[in-house]
């Protein structure tokens, strides 16, 4: 099942995208797609409503697509989780996941404008697989248990400002938490439809030029391991988002470091999860 939210910022309504591409209004089942919906069997209720044929169809013309989950409590990020990306940045393969937090307020829609921060000269791109938590999780007993707490997956664009991230502080938060720095979506795809999260291609281009072409099978720490690992150090709540890392091909690792400028357009996709497109502007 593909769950999404349609409408202007702050006015989104929940919807389902069918296999035929129709959009069905989910407002009679839930007021929004959030942690409460995910933790209370909302996906099963939505599936039953679709099967019963009782959801009205939406006319999507002119409707903005918002982030598929509203108000995530946490956006947890994993850095250097692909061997080729670690190599291109000159970093050693980490023995344990590199974990940092990103301001949840950075989450925007998949086609929203992204703002280059004032004073930025090193704004960079990162296509990532996002994990959305569906059940409260603490001290999970290994990777197998992690599968039961995952609601689904989405495309995440972990936009980063490298000077802020690497030169202004010993922590990464300054370069990761600028406004609009986490487009998410276009939809949340449930686990049953995705299948194996370690068998997905990730792709990103800038102004039509291919920059990233990776595969989740190349993760150092796979999805189930990450979820179980994080649950040992923090309580994962329904609606939380985990960004699982990016493959090689970021501007930081390319010759000439072709960082983003106002007017640049970035397009990204993950197999089975749809695609995003953003144009960058000056804050």
């Amino acid at each position: 099942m593909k769950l999404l939210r349609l409408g202007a910022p702050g006015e989104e309504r929940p919807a389902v995208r069918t296999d035929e591409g129709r959009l069905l209004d989910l407002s009679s089942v839930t007021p929004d797609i959030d942690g409460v919906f995910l933790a209370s069997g909302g996906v099963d209720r939505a599936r039953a409503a679709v099967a019963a044929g009782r959801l009205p169809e939406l006319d999507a013309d002119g409707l903005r697509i918002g982030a598929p989950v509203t108000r995530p409590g946490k956006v947890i990020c994993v850095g250097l989780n692909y061997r080729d990306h670690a190599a291109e940045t000159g970093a050693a393969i980490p023995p344990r996941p590199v974990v940092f937090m990103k301001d949840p307020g950075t989450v925007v829609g998949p086609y929203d404008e992204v703002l280059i921060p004032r004073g930025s000269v090193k704004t960079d791109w990162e296509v990532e697989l996002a994990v959305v938590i569906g059940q409260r999780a603490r001290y999970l007993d290994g990777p197998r248990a992690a599968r039961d707490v995952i609601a689904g997956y989405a495309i995440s664009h972990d936009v980063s400002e490298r000077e802020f991230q690497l030169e202004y502080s010993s922590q990464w938060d300054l370069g990761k938490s600028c406004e609009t720095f986490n487009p998410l979506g276009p939809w949340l795809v449930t686990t049953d439809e995705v299948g194996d999260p370690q068998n997905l291609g990730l792709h990103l281009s800038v102004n039509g030029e291919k920059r990233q072409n990776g595969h989740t099978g190349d993760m150092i720490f796979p999805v189930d391991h990450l979820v179980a690992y994080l649950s040992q150090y923090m309580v994962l709540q329904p609606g939380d988002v985990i960004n699982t890392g990016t493959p090689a091909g970021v501007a930081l690792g390319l010759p000439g470091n072709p960082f983003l400028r106002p007017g640049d357009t970035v397009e990204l996709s993950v197999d089975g999860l749809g695609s995003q497109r953003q144009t960058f502007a000056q804050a």
Side-chain angles (χ1 to χ4, degrees):
M1 177 171 286
K2 295 181 175 70
L3 301 168
L4 67 160
R5 299 168 63 248
L6 299 167
E11 300 176 2
E12 297 94 343
R13 68 172 64 182
V16 172
R17 185 180 187 271
T18 70
D19 292 340
E20 301 80 28
R22 296 186 301 132
L23 298 177
L24 306 179
D25 190 348
L26 203 55
S27 299
S28 62
V29 176
T30 180
D32 212 338
I33 299 172
D34 55 14
V36 173
F37 167 79
L38 296 173
S40 63
V43 172
D44 289 338
R45 295 197 306 275
R47 187 176 285 114
V50 172
R54 58 184 177 86
L55 299 179
E57 190 163 352
L58 285 168
D59 181 1
D61 286 348
L63 282 181
R64 165 186 173 269
I65 298 179
V69 179
T70 185
R71 298 182 298 276
K74 296 189 288 294
V75 177
I76 310 156
C77 302
V78 181
L80 303 174
N81 197 31
Y82 287 74
R83 283 180 169 79
D84 57 359
H85 175 56
E88 74 174 345
T89 60
I93 300 297
R96 296 162 66 93
V98 176
V99 178
F100 60 95
M101 309 295 284
K102 191 162 188 166
D103 176 10
T106 59
V107 174
V108 295
Y111 306 105
D112 288 350
E113 184 178 69
V114 175
L115 299 177
I116 294 176
R118 296 177 185 180
S120 167
V121 294
K122 296 182 179 180
T123 294
D124 205 345
W125 58 81
E126 292 189 16
V127 59
E128 306 203 7
L129 173 68
V131 177
V132 178
I133 298 299
Q135 299 290 330
R136 187 174 186 267
R138 57 189 291 273
Y139 297 110
L140 292 173
D141 186 20
R144 186 174 297 274
R147 301 172 192 174
D148 295 332
V149 306
I150 299 173
Y153 303 93
I155 304 170
S156 186
H157 190 178
D158 179 20
V159 187
S160 308
E161 211 298 341
R162 302 303 188 187
E163 186 177 35
F164 298 178
Q165 174 191 353
L166 302 173
E167 301 175 37
Y168 286 3
S169 172
S170 59
Q171 298 181 343
W172 291 3
D173 302 54
L174 293 181
K176 295 287 188 173
S177 291
C178 304
E179 62 178 330
T180 72
F181 261 29
N182 204 141
L184 188 69
W187 33 72
L188 168 63
V189 185
T190 53
T191 55
D192 59 306
E193 185 168 333
V194 172
D196 183 2
Q198 305 308 144
N199 190 29
L200 303 173
L202 304 91
H203 317 280
L204 182 145
S205 62
V206 180
N207 299 327
E209 183 174 355
K210 179 70 74 175
R211 292 300 192 183
Q212 290 185 278
N213 188 28
H215 194 276
T216 57
D218 296 328
M219 285 184 183
I220 298 168
F221 304 103
V223 166
D224 292 348
H225 177 91
L226 291 175
V227 173
Y229 178 84
L230 291 169
S231 78
Q232 309 305 309
Y233 302 98
M234 63 188 80
V235 178
L236 302 176
Q237 300 287 359
D240 284 353
V241 173
I242 302 171
N243 289 339
T244 58
T246 197
V250 299
L252 181 65
L254 291 173
N257 303 127
F259 293 112
L260 293 165
R261 298 289 182 261
D264 285 345
T265 296
V266 178
E267 297 177 271
L268 50 157
S269 64
V270 175
D271 294 350
L273 303 184
S275 61
Q276 298 186 0
R277 185 179 190 273
Q278 299 103 33
T279 298
F280 281 67
Q282 186 63 55

